Amino acid sequence: MSQWLPIEQIARSVNSGELKAQDLVKQSLKSISDNKDFDAIISTLEDNALKRASEIDKSVATGKTAGRLAGVPFIAKDNFLVFGADTTAASNILRGFQAPYQATAINKLEAEGAICVAKANLDAFAHGTSTENSDFMTTKNPHDKARVPGGSSGGSAAAVVLDMAPFALGTDTGGSIRQPASFSGCVGYKPTYGLVSRSGVVAMASSTDVIGPLARTVEDAAIVLDVMSGKDPLDGTTIEKQDGYVNASGDLKGLKVGVIKEYMKEGLSDGVRQVIEEAVSKLKAGGAEISEVSLPSIDMALAVYYIICPAEVSSNLARYDGQRFGYSDPEATTLEASYKLSRGHGFGKEAKRRIMIGTYVLSSGYYDAYYKKAQIVRTKLINEFETALKNVDFLIGPVAPTTAFKIGENISDPLKMYLCDIMTVAANMIGNPAISIPAGLSENLPVGLQVMAGKSKDKELLGVSKQIEEILA
Ligand code: GLN
C-alpha cells in the first residue's frame, strides 16, 4: 500500500490547507533516505524543495490556491535541467554541471505547484536498459536487489515503486520509460512525439526522444502529462495538446484490440507470455474484440533503431568537448589534446560505442548502405502501423521479452542488451504513444502490458488504459 494519496487528492488537500507541502516534502526526503541502498537517487534538492514548499504553504494560508499539483513532490531523471542540483545525465563528463536554465517540463510542473525533490539515476546519457551504464552506480530492482530495475529511467521507476514520491519523470528514446516501468512495476507513459517539450533535457536521439511520467496509476500519469504537454516556442517539434487527458475514459466493450503477432513469437519468455496471455483473456472477458495483427517490418525495428539512434547520438554528443560543459581534462596542453582527453576520459564505454557506430553509419562510404536504408524501413514501419491502426483501435503486446534480469547478466554482451529493446523501439521509430501498465507477476517479478495507439491519440490511450488497469488489478 502506497503512502501517497492520488495526486489530485494531494493537491486538493494542500490547497485547502489540510495537508502541508512542507510535510509532503519531508515525507519524500525521508523515504529517499530510508531507501538509499537501492541507489535510485543521484542528488536531492532538499533546501530548494523545502523553500518552495514553505512558499506554497504560506500562499495557501493567505487564501490563494497553489495549482493543480500543489505541494506534490516529484523526482526528475538526472537528464532534466533543474535549478538547485547538478545535471549529470549519470555521466562523468557532466559531473558538476549546473543548469543555466530549467527544462520547460519542470517549469510547467512548478507553475502548478509541484516540487522537485531529487534527481534519479539513469544509464549515462540514457543509453541502456538496466542503469548499469550509469557512470556512478547501478540502481537495484525494488522487488529483488540482485536484479536491475530496467533502464534507462531505472532510477525514476524504482523511486516510484519505492514510494519516494507520487511520480517521477523519465525520457523514452527507445523504451526507457516503458521498460523500467515493466521491470519495476509501475505505470510508464510515452506520449506522442512532440507532445512534451524537449527543451532543457539532455538530448539522446532527437527524432525519437520523448518525455513522460512514471507513476502508480494511469490517472496520476495523465495529470502530470496534462500539465507538461503542449506547444513550446523553445522546441520547434512540439505539438498542441488535446483537452481531456485527465478525465479520459474508455469502454472496452466492442473495442478492437490487436495483439502484435511478432511480439508473441519465440524469444518471449514463458513467464511473460503467460502473464500477457492472461491479460488478453481478461480484456476479452471485459468485452474487447481481440484479433491477431501482423506487422512484418517490426522485426527490423530494432536494427533500424540501432542505426538511427547512434547516428543522432554521435551528433548530439559532439557538443561535450571539454570546453563548454562539465569535465575538461586538466592534463591537456593544447586544444586538440583537450578534446581527446576530455572525451576519452569523460565518456563511458557505451557512449563511445554509440559515437563510433553513429559516425560509421553516417560516413560518406556507408551512409547509403545503413542510414538511408534505415530511414526507408522507418517509413515502411510508419505505414504498416498506420494501416494496422485503421483496422483496430489499439495494439497490445509485452513491453519486454523477459522480466528484470540479474545485475551483471547482460552487461558484457551489448547485443544481448540491445535485444531487450526489441518490443519498445517501434513506438519510438513511428512516434506513436504507448504505455506500460502493470499486468501481474511472474515468479514475483512485475510484467507490464504494452498498449499502443495512433499518433496523437493520447487521450484515447489514457482512457482505455484506465479500464485496462482496473481489469488487470
Ligand atoms: N534501451 C534503449 C537504448 O539503450 C532505449 C534507451 C532510451 O529510451 N533512452 O537505446
Side-chain angles (χ1 to χ4, degrees):
M1 196 51 195
S2 170
Q3 62 170 330
W4 301 104
L5 292 166
I7 288 177
E8 192 264 335
Q9 275 186 46
I10 299 178
R12 196 162 6 106
S13 307
V14 169
N15 279 325
S16 71
E18 226 170 294
L19 283 178
K20 292 266 169 282
Q22 288 186 80
D23 293 335
L24 296 167
V25 167
K26 282 180 197 156
Q27 184 180 335
S28 172
L29 290 166
K30 179 174 182 313
S31 173
I32 289 170
S33 132
D34 289 348
N35 290 298
K36 246 192 165 62
D37 45 344
F38 284 91
D39 288 328
I41 299 299
I42 291 180
S43 57
T44 54
L45 292 89
E46 188 163 344
D47 295 345
N48 267 36
L50 285 168
K51 195 165 152 261
R52 273 186 48 75
S54 109
E55 282 163 12
I56 287 172
D57 290 336
K58 271 189 208 141
S59 136
V60 168
T62 64
K64 292 190 194 123
T65 52
R68 296 169 61 200
L69 298 175
V72 179
F74 73 95
I75 291 167
K77 188 176 180 178
D78 203 16
N79 54 355
F80 283 76
L81 295 185
V82 181
F83 291 144
D86 292 348
T87 299
T88 67
S91 67
N92 281 326
I93 208 163
L94 277 177
R95 260 186 210 272
F97 176 65
Q98 302 249 324
Y101 61 96
Q102 283 207 133
T104 297
I106 303 289
N107 285 338
K108 286 190 172 186
L109 293 169
E110 285 191 345
E112 289 293 341
I115 303 173
C116 184
V117 287
K119 310 281 305 279
N121 193 32
L122 62 149
D123 290 288
F125 288 109
H127 305 162
T129 310
S130 64
T131 80
E132 291 168 288
N133 290 335
S134 164
D135 288 347
F136 307 160
M137 60 201 174
T138 297
T139 301
K140 320 295 180 280
N141 188 297
H143 296 260
D144 179 352
K145 275 194 183 150
R147 293 177 186 269
V148 303
S152 63
S153 312
S156 301
V160 167
V161 176
L162 292 166
D163 240 10
M164 294 180 185
F167 76 93
L169 297 183
T171 55
D172 193 315
T173 302
S176 279
I177 290 175
R178 289 160 287 153
Q179 189 261 11
S182 177
F183 274 23
S184 293
C186 63
V187 169
Y189 191 78
K190 172 221 174 290
T192 295
Y193 178 77
L195 191 55
V196 180
S197 169
R198 291 175 292 115
S199 173
V201 180
V202 176
M204 181 176 167
S206 307
S207 78
T208 74
D209 285 350
V210 295
I211 284 141
L214 295 105
R216 281 165 307 127
T217 62
V218 176
E219 184 186 88
D220 281 356
I223 296 171
V224 177
L225 178 74
D226 193 43
V227 170
M228 291 195 298
S229 53
K231 249 191 162 351
D232 176 17
L234 297 174
D235 175 358
T237 62
T238 46
I239 55 173
E240 292 293 355
K241 66 188 249 192
Q242 297 164 282
D243 286 332
Y245 297 137
V246 179
N247 297 319
S249 61
D251 192 357
L252 273 181
K253 269 201 195 73
L255 208 70
K256 293 195 184 110
V257 177
V259 180
I260 299 176
K261 183 177 160 204
E262 287 75 11
Y263 286 175
M264 301 302 282
K265 287 194 308 204
E266 70 283 5
L268 184 63
S269 73
D270 292 343
V272 174
R273 178 187 302 280
Q274 201 183 338
V275 174
I276 298 302
E277 281 176 354
E278 275 167 23
V280 172
S281 305
K282 286 183 191 164
L283 298 192
K284 208 168 179 177
E289 283 174 27
I290 307 280
S291 61
E292 192 183 67
V293 171
S294 174
L295 294 146
S297 299
I298 217 168
D299 282 342
M300 285 183 279
L302 192 72
V304 168
Y305 174 79
Y306 276 102
I307 291 170
I308 292 174
C309 168
E312 295 185 25
V313 162
S314 70
S315 158
N316 275 326
L317 293 187
R319 73 191 67 168
Y320 306 107
D321 56 4
Q323 318 310 306
R324 290 165 292 172
F325 308 96
Y327 178 74
S328 187
D329 198 280
E331 304 290 309
T333 50
T334 63
L335 182 62
E336 172 125 7
S338 178
Y339 291 154
K340 283 185 180 159
L341 290 173
S342 304
R343 286 170 72 80
H345 294 153
F347 282 131
K349 257 193 185 159
E350 187 58 29
K352 285 179 188 162
R353 187 177 292 128
R354 295 197 189 209
I355 291 169
M356 285 192 286
I357 297 173
T359 315
Y360 180 80
V361 298
L362 289 175
S363 60
S364 61
Y366 295 98
Y367 180 90
D368 284 353
Y370 293 105
Y371 186 74
K372 203 168 154 197
K373 231 185 226 164
Q375 291 292 16
I376 292 168
V377 181
R378 185 179 191 174
T379 304
K380 211 166 167 234
L381 260 175
I382 293 171
N383 294 339
E384 269 177 28
F385 267 89
E386 225 173 72
T387 309
L389 284 162
K390 276 190 190 130
N391 301 321
V392 294
D393 301 306
F394 300 97
L395 290 163
I396 60 169
V399 174
T402 64
T403 51
F405 47 85
K406 291 232 168 78
I407 292 173
E409 197 177 317
N410 291 339
I411 194 67
S412 51
D413 187 345
L415 278 182
K416 237 171 121 189
M417 196 70 103
Y418 294 169
L419 270 169
C420 301
D421 303 327
I422 194 146
M423 291 154 185
T424 47
V425 293
N428 299 84
M429 287 291 103
I430 63 175
N432 289 29
I435 188 171
S436 174
I437 304 170
L441 297 175
S442 167
E443 290 175 5
N444 290 323
L445 293 170
V447 176
L449 174 75
Q450 182 168 207
V451 188
M452 293 184 213
K455 200 165 275 176
S456 288
K457 299 265 186 214
D458 295 85
K459 186 171 113 185
E460 291 77 358
L461 180 56
L462 288 163
V464 79
S465 295
K466 275 190 210 161
Q467 295 263 307
I468 295 176
E469 176 182 50
E470 222 175 277
I471 281 191
L472 299 183

